[in-house]
Amino acid sequence: MISPQLTYYNMGTGVTAFSTTRQGGCSTGNYAAFNINGYCGDDEVHIAANKVALCGLLGIDSNRLVMPHQVHDCVVRRIDGPQQGVIEGVDAVMTDVPQLCIGVSTADCIPVLLYDSTHRAVSAVHAGWRGTVLRIVQKAVEAMCHAYGTAPADLQAVIGPGISLDSFEVGDEVYDQFLSAGFDMQPISRREAKWHIDLPMCNRLQLMEACVPADHIQMTNICTYQQYDRYFSARRLGIQSGRIYTGILIK
């Protein structure tokens, strides 16, 4: 029996927020066991069955489960209803439509969820290192302010499972892109044999720069690279492996 095992986040009343784990699905191999991402090489039959199980758990129809095809850019897309086709080239989505689950796929990149309880609006952001350099999480906050009248001080945020400072070793060219983009590298990097960059902290600092209060930002502190038995990690398992889905649903 397919029974998705989710990691839930408390973001206040009125929303369900979660990340999927590897447990409770029917996928096999490096996709085992719960994967709903159709862009990473998994069996379409397994993906479909896992999606049905997740939608059943959430109490929504399958066309109300939104998952964009991400490209490591900084496009934010407003979603105003059920989707029939592919949402191409989008790395952050937002909505104020109840019973519409929006989310992003990750496997070491950083997922960020935002919730505006005043205007009942939400966003899900995929912040890989490229998106983090492009400040996608700040662009998502700005987009919510423009679309829904969100006040950043009212936002609740979750920074979900992703690769940690200890595990995210990068070359000089990645470090140099952060430096060239104007980031203060002292709080977000460490030099060992190679540079290490703290993507969760970098996104936390960006949210604070966007005027989201520090005590409104939850850090899961789950390292996908270290906990690859429970959460997918592309660095551990390879690109041909499953993806975590981090989603949020207005009740």
Side-chain angles (χ1 to χ4, degrees), residues 154-169:
D154 291 338
L155 282 171
Q156 296 289 332
V158 167
I159 296 176
I163 197 164
S164 65
L165 170 67
D166 289 341
S167 300
F168 191 44
E169 185 181 79

Side-chain angles (χ1 to χ4, degrees), residues 9-213:
Y9 310 117
N10 181 7
M11 299 185 73
T13 59
V15 291
T16 298
F18 65 92
S19 293
T20 60
T21 69
R22 296 187 63 183
Q23 282 69 48
C26 64
S27 295
T28 60
N30 283 347
Y31 304 99
F34 190 86
N35 170 63
I36 62 169
N37 186 287
Y39 307 108
C40 57
D42 195 5
D43 186 304
E44 292 183 3
V45 173
H46 293 160
I47 293 169
N50 289 335
K51 280 185 177 180
V52 167
L54 179 59
C55 289
L57 185 62
L58 297 174
I60 59 174
D61 294 333
S62 60
N63 67 346
R64 302 186 75 86
L65 183 70
V66 176
M67 182 169 52
H69 186 200
Q70 301 154 191
V71 294
H72 296 274
D73 206 332
C74 59
V75 174
V76 183
R77 178 75 54 82
R78 179 172 179 167
I79 308 297
D80 288 325
Q83 301 296 296
Q84 300 296 333
V86 176
I87 304 171
E88 184 65 50
V90 172
D91 284 80
V93 285
M94 61 183 183
T95 193
D96 61 352
V97 179
Q99 293 299 105
L100 188 69
C101 183
I102 60 170
V104 291
S105 301
T106 59
D108 289 332
C109 294
I110 310 302
V112 182
L113 299 177
L114 304 172
Y115 174 43
D116 172 2
S117 61
T118 301
H119 299 92
R120 289 186 51 78
V122 294
S123 180
V125 183
H126 164 244
W129 74 260
R130 293 177 180 85
T132 300
V133 167
L134 294 170
R135 293 179 168 83
I136 187 171
V137 74
Q138 291 183 328
K139 289 179 170 60
V141 172
E142 292 168 4
M144 290 185 72
C145 293
H146 178 74
Y148 309 119
T150 295
D154 291 338
L155 282 171
Q156 296 289 332
V158 167
I159 296 176
I163 197 164
S164 65
L165 170 67
D166 289 341
S167 300
F168 191 44
E169 185 181 79
V170 302
D172 290 348
E173 70 283 357
V174 174
Y175 177 92
D176 289 344
Q177 287 202 43
F178 278 85
L179 188 62
S180 297
F183 289 93
D184 178 1
M185 300 308 293
Q186 193 280 327
I188 64 167
S189 66
R190 183 176 72 213
R191 182 74 184 190
E192 297 180 2
K194 289 187 175 182
W195 283 108
H196 287 239
I197 291 181
D198 192 336
L199 290 180
M201 178 57 68
C202 192
N203 280 281
R204 175 181 172 84
L205 293 173
Q206 286 188 41
L207 286 169
M208 291 167 63
E209 288 174 7
C211 298
V212 178

